């Protein structure tokens, strides 16, 4: 009889230990998720910071951008390559942002803000938008991604027109 009671007590104790262990694992996984999300957002922020300082760090790109906005007729092949390279770099980071947004890792407001920065820089100038339009290929980015950018851009334009800008 005593062995049966001892066995029951040991079984209950081990079951409790297993439950406590599972609880600790769940807590640890949640902490890891928070750390991973913070790391992802920091890396994304660093990518956007790098892109935003390109104009300062690379005078050739700054010159190309100025010609694209001010005197598009004077754009050289080198200017076109500079502008296309920076647009592509920005699109890569935006694509990552879009994927993180779709996965629920970053909020919609962050996604929309980043697209807004892109559209202001690359879609407001007719000559630079023409370069953007000419560089769109399904092989590089999905149609859904391009449509998501365009939707936000059209909403921005409609809001500006409503304000009379």
């Amino acid at each position: 009889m005593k062995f049966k009671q001892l066995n029951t007590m040991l079984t209950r104790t081990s079951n409790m230990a297993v439950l406590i262990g599972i609880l600790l694992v769940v807590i640890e996984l949640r902490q890891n998720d928070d750390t991973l999300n913070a790391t992802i957002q920091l890396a994304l922020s660093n990518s956007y910071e790098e892109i935003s300082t390109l104009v300062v760090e690379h005078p050739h790109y700054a010159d190309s951008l100025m010609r694209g906005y001010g005197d598009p007729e004077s754009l050289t092949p080198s200017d076109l390559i500079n502008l296309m390279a920076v647009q592509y770099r920005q699109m890569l980071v935006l694509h990552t942002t879009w994927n993180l947004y779709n996965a629920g890792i970053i909020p919609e407001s962050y996604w929309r803000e980043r697209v807004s920065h892109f559209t202001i820089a690359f879609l407001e100038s007719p000559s630079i938008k023409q370069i953007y339009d000419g560089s769109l290929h399904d092989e590089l980015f999905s149609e859904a991604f391009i449509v998501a950018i365009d939707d936000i851009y059209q909403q921005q334009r409609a809001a500006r027109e409503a304000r009379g800008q």
Side-chain angles (χ1 to χ4, degrees):
M1 208 48 145
K2 288 189 177 208
F3 285 116
K4 194 172 189 180
Q5 288 175 338
L6 179 63
N7 186 27
T8 302
M9 185 178 79
L10 288 174
T11 301
R12 288 182 181 164
T13 303
S14 65
N15 287 343
M16 288 297 285
V18 167
L19 288 175
I20 291 171
I22 290 172
L23 181 64
L24 291 173
V25 167
V26 167
I27 291 170
E28 182 67 28
L29 286 174
R30 285 191 180 177
Q31 288 175 340
N32 286 345
D33 281 351
D34 292 344
T35 301
L36 180 61
N37 286 342
T39 302
I40 288 169
Q41 290 185 19
L42 181 61
L44 200 55
S45 178
N46 286 339
S47 294
Y48 281 111
E49 179 185 348
E50 275 185 36
I51 290 170
S52 68
T53 59
L54 281 174
V55 76
V56 175
E57 295 169 0
H58 300 282
H60 298 294
Y61 168 62
D63 292 341
S64 298
L65 190 61
M66 294 304 292
R67 278 190 286 280
Y69 271 93
D71 185 14
E73 298 301 319
S74 70
L75 285 171
T76 66
S78 179
D79 290 331
L80 294 174
I81 289 171
N82 285 334
L83 292 169
M84 288 174 65
V86 172
Q87 280 182 353
Y88 181 70
R89 187 173 180 179
Q90 176 79 17
M91 293 286 286
L92 286 173
V93 178
L94 267 180
H95 192 259
T96 299
T97 306
W98 184 66
N99 286 328
L100 293 172
Y101 161 64
N102 287 327
I105 296 173
I106 61 170
E108 180 181 9
S109 59
Y110 187 81
W111 157 244
R112 293 182 72 81
E113 175 188 340
R114 293 306 167 180
V115 172
S116 296
H117 290 239
F118 175 78
T119 60
I120 290 168
F122 294 107
L123 302 183
E124 285 300 304
S125 164
S127 59
I128 295 178
K129 184 175 185 325
Q130 184 179 6
I131 295 168
Y132 167 79
D133 290 340
S135 68
L136 294 178
H137 300 285
D138 291 345
E139 302 85 28
L140 300 176
F141 299 105
S142 70
E143 183 180 343
F145 171 64
I146 301 302
V147 167
I149 292 172
D150 191 53
D151 286 347
I152 292 173
Y153 177 57
Q154 295 306 326
Q155 291 168 18
Q156 289 172 323
R157 291 184 65 191
R160 278 195 298 277
E161 287 173 10
R163 289 190 308 262
Q165 294 179 337

